[in-house]
Amino acid sequence: RGLSTLSGPAWVHHDGIGYVFPEQTALKLAQDAQAGSWNRISRDLSAERVTAEVFSLWIDHGKQPELGRYAYFIVPGIEAQALEGYARKSEIVILKNTPECQAVRHSGLKLTGAIFYKPGLIEAEGAQSMGVNQSCILFAREVEAGKLRLAVCKPDGERKVTVRIGAQAVEMNLPDGDHAQKTVVQEIQL
């Protein structure tokens, strides 16, 4: 109960959910009774005041952080005993975590996911380099040897994204209008 400061734990477990911190991160942890009514969220809900124990875990950014950096994974449905091993031997690798791009790779699934906030390039260990000519969300998964499934989404702006996998360029034509937020999937041979 109360507020605790955690100095760089590798993981935290609560109620069947694991929180993994691959980089040293200062955390705050609180578990206290909190009271309120659901009506404060939506007028359609009950105004009756309820009290319950609430688990809160947050990253302590400090005051007015600049160029702060942190990363974490949420692992649902894991027992506390298994979480330590998972955290130590995770198949998730952070490829890039900058203001321009956030990208991770799951080596077991052969899946790379990236959010590009502007044109950029990422290098993935055991995979081809990947780049884009503009901001977008990109997933690339090796579905079989020599075949890659690309999924691209871009809710606004230019409707054509050029994805570069190694030396190969792939044009992805995205829908517009009511379907502008739809993801486009395309398989390519490497």
Side-chain angles (χ1 to χ4, degrees):
R1 289 188 60 81
L3 177 65
S4 302
T5 299
L6 306 175
S7 298
W11 57 272
V12 172
H13 186 269
H14 175 75
D15 198 25
I17 299 173
Y19 305 86
V20 177
F21 303 92
E23 302 170 349
Q24 287 271 317
T25 304
L27 302 173
K28 297 287 185 178
L29 170 66
Q31 187 157 346
D32 284 316
Q34 293 187 16
S37 77
W38 289 106
N39 187 259
R40 291 188 67 196
I41 296 171
S42 173
R43 292 183 182 174
D44 296 335
L45 299 174
S46 171
E48 177 186 349
R49 189 169 175 84
V50 294
T51 301
E53 286 288 318
V54 176
F55 169 83
S56 301
L57 180 68
W58 68 95
I59 294 171
D60 185 2
H61 298 285
K63 292 182 180 180
Q64 298 180 336
E66 288 187 33
L67 300 175
R69 176 185 158 106
Y70 61 89
Y72 62 91
F73 311 136
I74 298 174
V75 186
I78 192 167
E79 296 297 324
Q81 311 84 281
L83 186 58
E84 182 175 5
Y86 181 92
R88 205 177 7 195
K89 297 179 182 178
S90 175
E91 294 181 294
I92 300 171
V93 177
I94 298 169
L95 303 174
K96 204 169 215 178
N97 190 9
T98 68
E100 295 80 29
C101 178
Q102 294 174 300
V104 296
R105 175 156 175 82
H106 190 293
S107 58
L109 297 175
K110 298 181 182 180
L111 174 66
T112 301
I115 300 174
F116 289 93
Y117 298 101
K118 63 186 210 179
L121 177 74
I122 57 173
E123 302 285 339
E125 187 176 315
Q128 300 274 346
S129 63
M130 294 185 348
V132 295
N133 68 332
Q134 60 181 296
S135 63
C136 66
I137 300 171
L138 169 67
F139 284 91
R141 184 172 194 173
E142 186 180 330
V143 290
E144 57 186 62
K147 187 183 270 189
L148 203 61
R149 180 175 295 136
L150 302 176
V152 175
C153 176
K154 181 173 176 54
D156 59 5
E158 176 65 34
R159 307 316 303 155
K160 186 179 283 190
V161 175
T162 302
V163 178
R164 187 165 293 284
I165 306 294
Q168 183 176 352
V170 179
E171 295 288 330
M172 304 282 289
N173 294 308
L174 304 176
D176 56 11
D178 290 343
H179 301 285
Q181 296 183 18
K182 193 171 183 170
T183 300
V184 172
V185 177
Q186 184 174 332
E187 288 190 1
I188 63 167
Q189 286 294 136
L190 297 175

